[in-house]
Amino acid sequence: MNIIDDLKWRGSINQTTDETGLTHLLQQKKISLYVGVDPTAQSIHIGNLIPLTILKRFQNDGHRPVIVIGGGTGMIGDPSGKAAERQLLPPDVFDENVKRITKQLTRLFGKDGFEIVNNYDWLSKLNLISFLRDFGKLFPINVMLKRDVVASRLEAGISFTEFTYQILQAIDFYTLFNEKNVQLQVGGGDQYGNISSGVELIHKLLGPQAQAFGLTVPLLLKSDGTKFGKSAGGAIWLDPEFLSPYEFYQFFYNQADDDVIKLLKIFTFLSHEEIENLAEKVRIEPGKREAQTRLAQEVTKFVHGQAAVDEAEKISQILFSGDVQQLTSTQVAAAFSAVPSIKITTEKIAVVDLLSQDDLIEKSKRQAREDLKNGAITVNGQKVTEVEKIIDPADKFDGKFVIIRRGKKKYFLAKVQ
């Protein structure tokens, strides 16, 4: 099976500018292809990972991926998917974001066999006259207005700055085609108009025989129709400083049976046979969650490495057993980041006062005493029944946390300030 048919089987293709021509090209040679990454945030996220995974598949098949970090276009703003103009960031913030994102991409693709470039390097050299003369005259306004990303903003309003974004992205493709022989651009479904503009610009400047192609990935929806990639805490970031590998692992492990096979196809490099076997296990033994476990393992390994998988599973096993005393303070921070929390000082505190603080764990000291006497409270993994018990935050977890559990499953975290 060729790579285009494989991507179709995985549900990873939304549109192509010329599928027949692209398939023929890939049968003839190995190519260079690219994805653009916006550096307006400090980290890339799950939405970025979908086209990046396609690039990785091409890399595994012997092709050469190129990542374009939008140091230039990021300063302008992409109108796609937004109802208002982007707030432009200062150059020093962009520079820091570029450094962080470069580190993340290197972890995904390795140090060899791919290249990271910054479109600021060539866009910053354009002056207004050359931009209008050499490129602007090749873009009919009536065509630009019909692009979905522009048309959706006309009623609310769009600045000339963001209106010209599609020209700048087209210049990216032309520059990479001309200087690095990049023949395929991959992007999200909302980028099809911009990608088509790049293909058209290459044909206008170099002739219709120039072999340049575009491919977009579909918007990934869950079985309930909601957009995939969000959690209660917000975006699913790939930088471990913003989302711990444990939380990342849990996000994928907690996917529904109705979604897990689709996600295995899109986000993992498992063979068709392996995925079909897992689909059968979902059908006959859904309670074992083997497909979810494999999904979490594979994606976490790709993004964070095998050591992160081992750590996430170790934390999961400890939490399942309830023996939280085995956790390190770093593991506590990762495992309990989303549970309800209170802030306490380094001073020793009576357990009743701890439980009733801010009415978060118990609604009153009377209820706290009752739950203590009934054996419903554990502190740092040890059951507490004495209503006069004094808790010393320095006893565990480097003096940073106190873990409270009420009943069998309700956890709370006291953070020492």
Side-chain angles (χ1 to χ4, degrees), residues 34-63:
Y34 91 95
V35 162
V37 176
D38 183 355
T40 51
Q42 291 180 297
S43 173
I44 51 181
H45 53 75
I46 283 295
N48 304 124
L49 191 59
I50 301 174
L52 290 173
T53 300
I54 290 181
L55 246 65
K56 187 67 177 181
R57 295 191 199 285
F58 273 91
Q59 184 184 42
N60 292 343
D61 197 43
H63 302 276

Side-chain angles (χ1 to χ4, degrees), residues 254-282:
N254 289 323
Q255 294 303 314
D257 291 341
D258 291 339
D259 296 318
V260 65
I261 300 304
K262 174 174 32 176
L263 299 178
L264 280 164
K265 289 180 177 181
I266 290 175
F267 286 109
T268 78
F269 303 94
L270 298 179
S271 68
H272 294 198
E273 182 181 5
E274 288 176 289
I275 293 175
E276 287 165 355
N277 287 340
L278 288 167
E280 180 66 9
K281 290 180 178 179
V282 170

Side-chain angles (χ1 to χ4, degrees), residues 41 43-47 229-239 242-243 248 251:
S43 173
I44 51 181
H45 53 75
I46 283 295
K230 298 289 185 180
S231 71
I236 304 302
W237 302 109
L238 272 60
D239 190 318
F242 301 124
L243 187 76
F248 186 88
F251 172 78

Side-chain angles (χ1 to χ4, degrees), residues 11-288:
S12 294
I13 296 180
N14 182 39
Q15 292 174 286
T16 56
T17 56
D18 178 5
E19 182 182 321
T20 301
L22 176 59
T23 301
H24 179 73
L25 175 67
L26 295 172
Q27 290 171 343
Q28 304 301 312
K29 58 182 284 193
K30 301 299 182 182
I31 67 167
S32 295
L33 67 159
Y34 91 95
V35 162
V37 176
D38 183 355
T40 51
Q42 291 180 297
S43 173
I44 51 181
H45 53 75
I46 283 295
N48 304 124
L49 191 59
I50 301 174
L52 290 173
T53 300
I54 290 181
L55 246 65
K56 187 67 177 181
R57 295 191 199 285
F58 273 91
Q59 184 184 42
N60 292 343
D61 197 43
H63 302 276
R64 178 175 173 272
V66 176
I67 312 290
V68 177
I69 295 182
T73 46
M75 290 184 177
I76 299 302
D78 179 359
S80 64
K82 297 189 293 292
E85 293 280 327
R86 168 181 294 169
Q87 294 296 313
L88 302 182
L89 301 177
D92 60 324
V93 174
F94 264 95
D95 290 344
E96 179 60 26
N97 290 354
V98 167
K99 290 177 183 178
R100 297 181 69 102
I101 291 173
T102 298
K103 182 178 179 180
Q104 295 164 45
L105 292 169
T106 302
R107 188 168 59 241
L108 294 178
F109 290 91
K111 295 183 179 179
D112 301 314
F114 91 111
E115 183 177 4
I116 297 177
V117 296
N118 189 331
N119 65 11
Y120 181 83
D121 293 341
W122 56 83
L123 293 179
S124 62
K125 295 176 182 178
L126 289 173
N127 60 51
L128 180 60
I129 298 300
S130 62
F131 171 75
L132 295 174
R133 182 193 62 201
D134 298 337
F135 300 106
K137 65 183 179 65
L138 301 176
F139 288 81
I141 289 293
N142 59 320
V143 174
M144 295 177 70
L145 288 172
K146 292 178 182 179
R147 299 294 190 200
D148 289 343
V149 293
V150 173
S152 64
R153 286 279 300 280
L154 288 179
E155 186 174 344
I158 182 172
S159 71
F160 177 75
T161 298
E162 289 199 357
F163 181 65
T164 60
Y165 181 92
Q166 58 186 288
I167 301 180
L168 298 180
Q169 186 168 326
I171 293 172
D172 286 348
F173 198 175
Y174 168 73
T175 301
L176 293 169
F177 182 94
N178 213 27
E179 297 182 3
K180 296 182 179 294
N181 197 30
V182 173
Q183 294 180 270
L184 173 64
Q185 181 181 0
V186 178
D190 60 350
Q191 291 292 314
Y192 186 76
N194 293 335
I195 292 173
S196 297
S197 295
V199 173
E200 293 165 6
L201 178 62
I202 290 169
H203 289 162
K204 287 177 180 178
L205 291 174
L206 301 176
Q209 77 285 350
Q211 293 182 297
F213 305 92
L215 181 156
T216 63
V217 302
L219 176 66
L220 187 54
L221 299 177
K222 296 190 290 186
S223 56
D224 62 6
T226 59
K227 187 176 180 181
F228 175 81
K230 298 289 185 180
S231 71
I236 304 302
W237 302 109
L238 272 60
D239 190 318
E241 290 189 26
F242 301 124
L243 187 76
S244 72
Y246 168 77
E247 294 171 282
F248 186 88
Y249 179 101
Q250 287 296 317
F251 172 78
F252 282 96
Y253 179 78
N254 289 323
Q255 294 303 314
D257 291 341
D258 291 339
D259 296 318
V260 65
I261 300 304
K262 174 174 32 176
L263 299 178
L264 280 164
K265 289 180 177 181
I266 290 175
F267 286 109
T268 78
F269 303 94
L270 298 179
S271 68
H272 294 198
E273 182 181 5
E274 288 176 289
I275 293 175
E276 287 165 355
N277 287 340
L278 288 167
E280 180 66 9
K281 290 180 178 179
V282 170
R283 188 183 70 81
I284 62 176
E285 296 180 301
K288 290 187 175 182

